[in-house]
Amino acid sequence: QRVALLGASTAVAAAAHEGEGSPWDAIMQGGDLALAQLTPEAMDQRMASVLDEVTEEIRAIQAAARNGGPVARPRWPMIVLRS
């Protein structure tokens, strides 16, 4: 799972457009703490982990571009925060 703060309809549209040809790799994050039986601290840890993962992906895309890597358009990570 993978930050963009978007309105609910925009997030749904972005997730629906995820797929071949989309410039985004939507990562759904968040949800109902009670349903997931997670503490706020556990959710913070999950979000920190997702941010670390996304940062690594962005750095890899940048490094590939700077080093003459593939010329295909990358799929940028986009975190959709559900609350």
Side-chain angles (χ1 to χ4, degrees), residues 21 31 50-51 53 59 63 66:
V50 168
L51 287 171
E53 180 183 329
R59 287 187 175 147
R66 291 181 181 130

Side-chain angles (χ1 to χ4, degrees), residues 49-67:
S49 174
V50 168
L51 287 171
D52 289 342
E53 180 183 329
V54 166
T55 300
E56 288 178 27
E57 286 185 41
I58 291 170
R59 287 187 175 147
I61 291 169
Q62 291 172 331
R66 291 181 181 130
N67 296 322

